[in-house]
């Protein structure tokens, strides 16, 4: 599933082609994706100008000058591209937003776990309520993680992936951040010290920021808006490398399920 760096890469790729453009038409080739597509997408979005392409957690928002927003999630296999209007339609091209530039913003989603929803002006969609801070914001640091973790017995990896604690740190980047910080993913969140949380917050910020510069991580279906893959996968230290040698100590990496998610770590380097 695309994680924060992939979604941010998509946002940055789309913004120059979409911001300031007026939507001249909407083509829905099916009435639903993961959920039904609200009638406002076809009724109210045409004619509106896009003021900004914004990201919140793993959601993309097309903010209009009128204050309404189209809310998109890429799901497991979704992809957004800006294409010439006469580009032939493929089997899984479900939505086209026609732009006054003569191009279309096309939403492709083979597995249909993505979504296209509506956020009226002056409201916050229920999917965005209760989310934690952005990991690249000033609100996210070691002191914050330490305070939120007190009394929690859940594994620290599960804690870090909780969107109510911090958004956008999915399985890949949680594993990589814990490795860099030297913290075992199985350790109880409430047993991690303030100093170690400072190291974890720094590791998460650095890894996410770097992954964005590398275009994210290509796993299965993810591609950038220009069709190019992300390259961070080539630099993963632990994720997907169970049984292989630890890049730091050379010992075998351990693999197990934590919170029903595949997890890999070094039992020597991570305590």
């Amino acid at each position: 599933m695309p994680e924060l760096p992939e979604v941010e890469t998509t946002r940055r790729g789309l913004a120059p082609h979409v911001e300031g453009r007026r939507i001249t038409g909407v083509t829905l080739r099916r009435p639903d994706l993961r959920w039904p597509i609200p009638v406002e997408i076809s009724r109210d979005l045409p004619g509106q100008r896009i003021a900004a392409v914004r990201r919140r957690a793993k959601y993309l928002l097309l903010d209009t000058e009128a204050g309404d927003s189209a809310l998109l999630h890429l799901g497991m296999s979704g992809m957004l591209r800006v294409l010439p209007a006469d580009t032939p339609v493929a089997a899984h091209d479900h939505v086209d937003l026609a732009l006054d530039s003569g191009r279309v913003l096309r939403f492709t989603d083979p597995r249909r776990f993505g979504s296209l929803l509506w956020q009226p002006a002056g409201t916050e969609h229920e999917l965005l309520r209760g989310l934690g801070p952005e990991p690249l914001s000033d609100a996210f640091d070691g002191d914050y993680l330490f305070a939120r973790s007190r009394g929690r017995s859940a594994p620290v990896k599960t804690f870090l992936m909780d969107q109510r604690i911090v958004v956008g740190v999915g399985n890949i980047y949680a594993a990589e951040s814990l490795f860099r910080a030297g913290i075992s993913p199985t350790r109880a969140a409430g047993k991690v010290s303030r100093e170690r949380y400072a190291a974890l917050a720094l590791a998460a910020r650095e890894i996410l920021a770097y992954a964005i510069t590398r275009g994210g991580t290509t796993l299965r279906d993810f591609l950038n808006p220009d069709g190019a893959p992300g390259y961070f996968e080539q630099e993963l230290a632990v994720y997907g490398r169970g049984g292989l040698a630890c890049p730091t100590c050379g010992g075998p990496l351990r693999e197990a399920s934590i919170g029903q998610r595949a997890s890999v770590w070094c039992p020597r380097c991570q305590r």
Side-chain angles (χ1 to χ4, degrees):
M1 178 178 293
E3 297 191 19
L4 185 151
E6 290 79 54
V7 180
E8 178 62 20
T9 298
T10 298
R11 187 198 69 77
R12 295 184 183 188
L14 294 178
H17 304 284
V18 175
E19 290 181 347
R21 293 296 179 184
R22 189 178 301 279
I23 294 179
T24 58
V26 173
T27 301
L28 304 180
R29 299 186 180 89
R30 55 176 303 114
D32 61 356
L33 292 170
R34 183 175 182 181
W35 297 294
I37 298 173
V39 65
E40 290 90 343
I41 295 294
S42 296
R43 187 189 68 198
D44 299 340
L45 191 54
Q48 297 210 40
R49 190 177 300 277
I50 302 301
V53 181
R54 183 164 54 95
R55 180 188 57 77
R56 176 65 171 122
K58 298 178 186 178
Y59 294 92
L60 286 170
L61 293 98
L62 304 181
D63 294 335
T64 70
E65 290 182 344
D68 304 311
S69 301
L71 180 69
L72 297 121
H73 193 286
L74 298 178
M76 297 182 69
S77 59
M79 179 168 56
L80 287 163
R81 294 168 297 160
V82 178
L83 304 168
D86 60 355
T87 302
V89 176
H92 303 297
D93 294 341
H94 302 307
V95 179
D96 278 358
L97 303 182
L99 307 172
D100 62 3
S101 62
R103 300 167 73 84
V104 296
L105 175 59
R106 179 163 292 173
F107 190 11
T108 304
D109 187 5
R111 301 183 191 181
R112 300 200 304 276
F113 282 109
S115 60
L116 174 57
L117 301 170
W118 186 252
Q119 178 176 275
T123 69
E124 182 178 40
H125 196 280
E126 60 182 343
L127 292 173
L128 303 183
R129 297 173 195 156
L131 293 177
E134 293 284 337
L136 299 178
S137 72
D138 292 339
F140 177 72
D141 59 17
D143 289 339
Y144 168 78
L145 287 176
F146 181 76
R148 292 298 303 269
S149 66
R150 295 307 87 191
R152 293 179 180 257
S153 59
V156 64
K157 182 168 184 266
T158 303
F159 170 72
L160 187 62
M161 292 176 61
D162 186 340
Q163 299 298 290
R164 296 167 297 180
I165 301 301
V166 59
V167 300
V169 185
N171 201 22
I172 299 170
Y173 300 103
E176 296 297 306
S177 299
L178 287 163
F179 176 74
R180 181 174 292 190
I183 299 172
S184 170
T186 64
R187 180 174 290 278
K191 299 296 185 182
V192 178
S193 69
R194 186 186 299 270
E195 292 74 21
R196 300 191 82 194
Y197 269 126
L200 179 58
L202 179 61
R205 292 171 68 98
E206 290 179 344
I207 285 172
L208 288 167
Y210 180 67
I212 291 169
T213 69
R214 298 291 283 158
T217 304
T218 296
L219 295 173
R220 298 184 183 151
D221 303 301
F222 175 71
L223 291 173
N224 290 336
D226 61 0
Y231 294 100
F232 189 67
E233 182 185 16
Q234 301 168 15
E235 302 171 59
L236 295 174
V238 291
Y239 182 88
R241 301 188 68 246
L244 300 179
C246 170
T248 299
C249 73
L253 295 172
R254 183 175 298 173
E255 183 170 10
S257 177
I258 299 175
Q260 300 182 329
R261 303 300 297 272
S263 301
V264 180
W265 71 99
C266 177
R268 292 182 185 177
C269 298
Q270 294 174 253
R271 299 291 183 181

